[in-house]
Amino acid sequence: MTNATSERNQAIIQEVLEVFPDKARKDRTKHMMVSDPALAGVGKCITSNRKSQPGVMTVRGCAYAGSKGVVFGPIKDMAHISHGPIGCGQYSRAGRRNYYTGMSGINSFGTVNFTSDFQERDIVFGGDKKLARLIEELELLFPLTKGITVQSECPVGLIGDDISAVANASRKAIGKPVVPVRCEGFRGVSQSLGHHIANDVIRDWVLDNRAGKAFESTPYDVAIIGDYNIGGDAWASRILLEQMGLRVVAQWSGDGTLVEMENTPNVKLNLVHCYRSMNYISRHMEEKHGIPWLEYNFFGPTKTAESLRKIAALFDERIQQNAEAVIARYQAQTDAVIAKYRPRLEGRKVMLYLGGLRPRHVIGAYEDLGMEIIGTGYEFAHNDDYDRTLPELKEGTLLFDDASSYELEALVKALKPDLIGSGIKEKYIFQKMGVPFRQMHSWDYSGPYHGYDGFAIFARDMDMTLNNPCWRELTAPWLKSA
């Protein structure tokens, strides 16, 4: 990309925002920029983690979604109660393809919807007693749960239910951890606060539960933090780490367990995949337990090799040699994948709009296939996410925060990407427009995408999507004549 690209994209931003009233346009301008390699960070060039414009359709989630759907929900051996009306619990149940081992409803509960099913009388008279009865009944019906979390929905915060008091009483009654999470959806500006709340709850209610208990440690103990095992991602990552000679003590929250979380303070290194959702608890363990943490990226062979070497550098020479051996072991496989798919994908332009880590982490995987990122954005990022993204971008790349549905459509029409990677809310609009699209929150029912084996699946999926002949035959419904 060149300076001419930067000027063009800056003009596109102004054109797209021209339809807004003055006040809204002034605000939204702060949320968009074009990248410049000379910048050390985004500074005041982009504003993030602010309330969405009233009346403008955002694709963000809520604090409940950040806690229940991301941080706690995938912990498989705990029952997660959605305390409130049934809709939130049902909508957040098993939607993200957090793969796990075990028998659902017996010793694994990620796909089960536990809810207090608030009715009008509960809003009027409160739901504390109902919650206590629910926990008692849950313990009777599902005795193999290792613990329970109470995920509060909006009405609970509005009527003032004391879920902490219920949790304390229930913990004594059933003899298991009962963890209250005040993650009412209206709190904060997006699901990001839900991540933070859940991290703080883990800090206060979970991490110290096994303090002082015996633990057989090794010099190579690590924890995978912030990998939600979408389509089996954490398993693919774990294979590489164990081939290096590391021992994965804990993996959370995808396919994670309560005891793994409780044992995490014993590891030698926390490996953080989703920085946005889990940096808080990683920083806490660094401050309190002296455990260093490292953000790693296992998307695409280039970033995977970089990360393996960074991880190995924190251990002894044996682990470093093993890392090089792992990279060499997969080289022929990687070369074959690139030789097959790069000629079919070379030069294609990609636009991303995602949450968590993906707007920057997947860039390297696309570039390994010869594809070019022309725009990327976050749903709920903070400025440090954009600082970490800048080094991954070429000059003039469009960078945007909390884009509305209108803005996304207008940017796509102006930039004309060959492929869009975004979420389920955006998928069908762009497919109807005839633009190839991959649902990059849960891999469009595919995956895993992490590691060397995952890269082969990723490359196949991008080729299958982009080079599908259906796009040439598709006309958007609103463009068809009567």
Side-chain angles (χ1 to χ4, degrees):
M1 294 186 183
T2 64
N3 190 50
T5 305
S6 300
E7 293 177 0
R8 185 204 66 180
N9 285 346
Q10 196 63 55
I12 286 173
I13 291 173
Q14 299 306 316
E15 182 181 344
V16 167
L17 298 180
E18 190 64 32
V19 301
F20 288 125
D22 290 344
K23 184 177 180 180
R25 182 169 64 249
K26 183 178 179 181
D27 177 78
R28 287 304 302 156
T29 301
K30 300 174 184 176
H31 293 261
M32 297 186 182
M33 65 175 287
V34 292
S35 64
D36 182 349
L39 293 174
V42 295
K44 295 183 179 179
C45 296
I46 199 165
T47 299
S48 62
N49 197 34
R50 298 291 188 273
K51 290 183 179 180
S52 301
Q53 279 285 327
V56 174
M57 183 63 73
T58 179
V59 300
R60 283 174 164 176
C62 65
Y64 166 87
S67 175
K68 167 63 163 59
V70 177
V71 177
F72 270 112
I75 299 296
K76 63 183 180 180
D77 61 355
M78 298 182 75
H80 307 289
I81 298 172
S82 295
H83 187 37
I86 196 169
C88 297
Q90 181 59 21
Y91 185 73
S92 64
R93 182 194 66 85
R96 298 187 72 232
R97 301 178 65 244
N98 308 107
Y99 283 6
Y100 61 86
T101 58
M103 297 183 66
S104 184
I106 305 298
N107 61 359
S108 297
F109 307 94
T111 56
V112 183
N113 181 13
F114 299 101
T115 175
S116 53
D117 188 21
F118 259 44
Q119 304 297 315
E120 185 176 344
R121 64 173 290 113
D122 301 310
I123 301 295
V124 176
F125 297 106
D128 287 356
K129 293 180 180 178
K130 187 174 190 178
L131 176 62
R133 291 197 304 272
L134 190 161
I135 294 172
E136 183 180 343
E137 182 179 346
L138 193 156
E139 174 63 14
L140 179 65
L141 295 175
F142 301 94
L144 296 185
T145 57
K146 300 299 183 182
I148 296 169
T149 71
V150 180
Q151 309 282 328
S152 56
E153 299 174 19
C154 288
V156 173
L158 295 173
I159 65 177
D161 271 8
D162 190 351
I163 64 171
S164 296
V166 175
N168 281 319
S170 298
R171 186 186 310 106
K172 296 174 183 176
I174 67 174
K176 295 178 181 178
V178 180
V179 181
V181 191
R182 300 305 303 254
C183 57
E184 295 86 1
F186 58 76
R187 299 183 65 180
V189 301
S190 70
Q191 57 263 57
S192 181
L193 183 63
H195 303 150
H196 200 159
I197 291 168
N199 278 219
D200 288 349
V201 168
I202 293 171
R203 176 196 67 199
D204 296 337
W205 294 75
V206 175
L207 276 190
D208 294 333
N209 287 356
R210 302 181 72 82
K213 294 185 178 180
F215 180 83
E216 295 184 12
S217 64
T218 76
Y220 306 116
D221 292 346
V222 299
I224 296 175
I225 307 288
D227 191 325
Y228 302 102
N229 208 31
I230 306 298
D233 281 338
W235 296 335
S237 300
R238 186 172 186 140
I239 288 171
L240 297 180
L241 296 173
E242 291 177 345
Q243 287 176 343
M244 286 172 62
L246 301 177
R247 185 175 79 149
V248 180
V249 170
Q251 169 185 309
W252 44 293
S253 54
D255 194 39
T257 64
L258 177 61
V259 72
E260 287 180 60
M261 297 173 74
E262 293 172 341
N263 278 331
T264 303
N266 296 301
V267 303
K268 303 299 187 293
L269 176 67
N270 280 323
L271 296 172
V272 181
H273 203 255
C274 182
Y275 171 84
R276 182 71 276 134
S277 62
M278 289 288 190
N279 75 89
Y280 316 102
I281 196 66
S282 301
R283 294 176 191 277
H284 165 74
M285 284 189 273
E286 183 176 44
E287 293 171 3
K288 182 173 181 179
H289 302 284
I291 304 171
W293 61 273
L294 173 70
E295 183 183 7
Y296 70 102
N297 180 357
F298 277 179
F299 284 106
T302 299
K303 293 299 181 183
T304 299
E306 285 181 11
S307 292
L308 289 174
R309 291 181 172 120
K310 284 182 181 178
I311 294 166
L314 298 175
F315 292 93
D316 58 29
E317 190 172 321
R318 183 177 76 87
I319 298 298
Q320 293 169 26
Q321 292 173 351
N322 288 349
E324 294 301 327
V326 169
I327 294 167
R329 181 185 307 170
Y330 288 96
Q331 191 61 54
Q333 174 182 312
T334 296
D335 292 343
V337 171
I338 292 176
K340 179 178 181 179
Y341 291 107
R342 184 161 182 145
R344 298 172 57 82
L345 299 170
E346 185 94 43
R348 300 296 188 94
K349 295 178 171 55
V350 183
M351 179 173 160
L352 302 170
Y353 181 53
L354 299 155
L357 64 144
R358 296 182 180 90
R360 68 176 180 274
H361 270 207
V362 299
I363 291 173
Y366 282 110
E367 291 179 343
D368 286 334
L369 296 170
M371 304 173 81
E372 180 184 5
I373 304 300
I374 60 173
T376 187
Y378 291 86
E379 296 173 12
F380 50 83
H382 298 202
N383 268 37
D384 54 351
D385 293 297
Y386 290 104
D387 290 340
R388 290 164 181 264
T389 306
L390 273 183
E392 308 296 330
L393 303 177
K394 296 180 180 178
E395 181 181 2
T397 305
L398 185 63
L399 199 55
F400 47 90
D401 174 75
D402 186 28
S404 66
S405 298
Y406 159 75
E407 290 166 358
L408 279 180
E409 291 179 40
L411 290 173
V412 167
K413 291 174 183 176
L415 293 172
K416 296 181 172 56
D418 298 301
L419 176 69
I420 299 172
S422 193
I424 191 66
K425 300 185 188 82
E426 300 78 62
K427 175 177 178 175
Y428 300 105
I429 291 292
F430 292 117
Q431 286 185 337
K432 289 176 181 178
M433 289 170 62
V435 183
F437 186 99
R438 287 301 299 185
Q439 208 277 66
M440 292 293 287
H441 283 150
S442 59
W443 309 153
D444 246 337
Y445 318 106
S446 183
Y449 282 176
H450 289 185
Y452 295 103
D453 292 336
F455 177 65
I457 300 170
F458 173 85
R460 179 205 67 189
D461 287 353
M462 297 308 123
D463 174 54
M464 180 174 63
T465 301
L466 248 175
N467 294 308
N468 191 317
C470 75
W471 305 114
R472 295 193 297 269
E473 308 298 326
L474 196 149
T475 303
W478 52 88
L479 296 179
K480 292 179 180 179
S481 62

